[in-house]
Amino acid sequence: MFKPCVLAALFSAASLANAANPIVKNIFTADPAALVDKGRVYLYVGKDEAPAGGKDYVMNEWRVYSSCDMKNWTDHGSPLKYSTFKWAGRDAWASDITKRNGKYYFYSTVDHATIPGKAIGVAVSDSPTGPFVDAIGKALVSNDMTRQSAILWDDIDPAVFIDDDGQAYLYWGNTVMKWAKLKPNMVELDGPIHTVGLDQFTEAAYLHKHKGTYYLTYSRQFPEETVYMTGPSATGPWTWGGQIMEPNANVKTIHQAIVDFNGKSYIFYHNGKLPGGGEFRRSAAVEELRYGPDGKILKVAQTAEGPAANPSPGCK
Ligand code: FUB
């Protein structure tokens, strides 16, 4: 006969196996990026490979999952690694993806092999599940191009946004948020790198648009909370919106991505809730994101259940 504590442990393991969150239960996954394409949502994550008790990130590859209902996920494996960028030395850190003219552009953080510091690469594919190849054979942004802060990791966490007029923007940064226009080819900056002073900005700048308003979300303070600002354009000016998600209990980072899927909005983030999880062993999760009648984003609680199933018609 099982003792109550054994039963409780079994019950919680079974609940986790059936729960929607974390999305991936057999490996640790971090820094979610998302793309909705042809009625299917694709989730891109970095694989956290740090051993139990590890003291730093070990991240060598990105992995892709997809879903037709935000509940059941298909594993598409790893379509690219940091080593896809021959000029990179290590670190498959946070990424973002968009589609333009039938091609999929994947912007990602890696550590540059010869220019000290983090850098942003861009890879391209004909499919959302890859394989991806380096689009330009060099960094799109490297640490020597930005002098706003002295740290080596200020050029991380790219987020890409294409406005309704076709202009594409790249946002990124740690400590200081930066943005630049992208040329229509999506693989060259178009003009200068700008900086924006944001209250206690840490990282994970992300741009989305809802009912004509531009929302800039980011990770604030450390441990990070997810907050947002609103503006009348993709470049601001920005007005404080509020907190979306409270900091994690056992992980200082939280890294969000926001997409619309089948008539609803969703926020992806990561936490340390998978058994054995922690600072360098994180797990991607998803919740529904709701707006108030005034356009304010309502606070989001992390749940084990995740969002209700939302079957996308025609998604196969
Ligand atoms: O995963 C490595 C770094 O941690 C990411 O680039 C940040 O957003 C934070 O999540």
Side-chain angles (χ1 to χ4, degrees):
M1 199 163 126
F2 291 120
K3 292 181 178 168
C5 60
V6 177
L7 275 176
L10 283 175
F11 177 73
S12 90
S15 312
L16 188 66
N18 294 327
N21 284 329
I23 295 169
V24 182
K25 298 174 178 64
N26 61 336
I27 57 170
F28 295 105
T29 58
D31 301 330
L35 173 78
V36 175
D37 186 48
K38 298 179 185 159
R40 181 178 279 269
V41 59
Y42 293 87
L43 166 68
Y44 302 80
V45 289
K47 182 181 176 191
D48 262 345
E49 300 179 50
K55 298 284 181 247
D56 202 353
Y57 299 116
V58 179
M59 304 182 78
N60 295 308
E61 64 183 27
W62 294 274
R63 302 190 68 86
V64 189
Y65 300 82
S66 77
S67 174
C68 282
D69 63 2
M70 278 288 174
K71 205 80 181 167
N72 299 288
W73 294 88
T74 301
D75 185 348
H76 298 283
S78 173
L80 79 164
K81 307 175 189 311
Y82 80 78
S83 53
T84 301
F85 302 103
K86 297 289 176 243
W87 47 268
R90 58 187 161 90
D91 291 347
W93 280 21
S95 65
D96 196 19
I97 184 165
T98 196
K99 181 183 185 183
R100 180 157 224 175
N101 298 331
K103 292 200 179 292
Y104 300 82
Y105 294 93
F106 187 86
Y107 301 85
S108 41
T109 313
V110 289
D111 203 80
H112 204 291
T114 55
I115 302 171
K118 291 283 180 281
I120 295 172
V122 53
V124 65
S125 175
D126 294 327
S127 159
T129 55
F132 286 82
V133 295
D134 188 350
I136 52 177
K138 61 179 181 178
L140 179 62
V141 178
S142 50
N143 192 48
D144 55 345
M145 292 165 64
T146 63
R147 299 283 180 209
Q148 293 84 8
S149 71
I151 57 178
L152 290 171
W153 57 94
D154 57 331
D155 294 299
I156 66 168
D157 293 6
V160 60
F161 173 77
I162 304 178
D163 210 345
D164 299 335
D165 63 3
Q167 179 63 58
Y169 300 86
L170 193 70
Y171 305 82
W172 74 96
N174 177 292
T175 313
V176 176
M177 192 196 106
K178 302 156 202 177
W179 67 269
K181 287 182 177 175
L182 287 166
K183 290 185 178 175
N185 64 17
M186 301 302 280
V187 300
E188 288 176 272
L189 301 186
D190 193 359
I193 294 172
H194 304 263
T195 59
V196 184
L198 294 175
D199 177 46
Q200 298 179 78
F201 173 80
T202 303
E203 57 192 3
Y206 190 90
L207 216 289
H208 77 279
K209 194 174 182 181
H210 178 75
K211 294 190 174 169
T213 295
Y214 296 79
Y215 291 80
L216 171 64
T217 51
Y218 63 93
S219 295
R220 178 175 175 267
Q221 307 191 92
F222 204 69
E224 299 174 347
E225 57 177 349
T226 307
V227 299
Y228 77 100
M229 307 195 82
T230 58
S233 80
T235 58
W238 301 109
T239 302
W240 174 251
Q243 186 195 58
I244 301 176
M245 192 174 280
E246 291 182 5
N248 281 313
N250 62 342
V251 177
K252 294 187 188 67
T253 61
I254 194 163
H255 202 110
Q256 85 296 349
I258 293 171
V259 291
D260 289 341
F261 170 77
N262 197 25
K264 294 185 172 182
S265 300
Y266 296 90
I267 182 167
F268 291 86
Y269 59 97
H270 66 222
N271 59 31
K273 291 185 179 174
L274 199 62
E279 193 62 51
F280 308 110
R281 291 155 67 90
R282 301 161 291 178
S283 291
V286 63
E287 313 289 350
E288 187 173 348
L289 183 85
R290 295 187 177 86
Y291 298 85
D294 53 1
K296 281 193 156 302
I297 294 179
L298 306 185
K299 266 190 78 168
V300 178
Q302 296 190 10
T303 69
E305 300 76 31
N310 181 12
S312 172
C315 180
K316 294 191 257 332

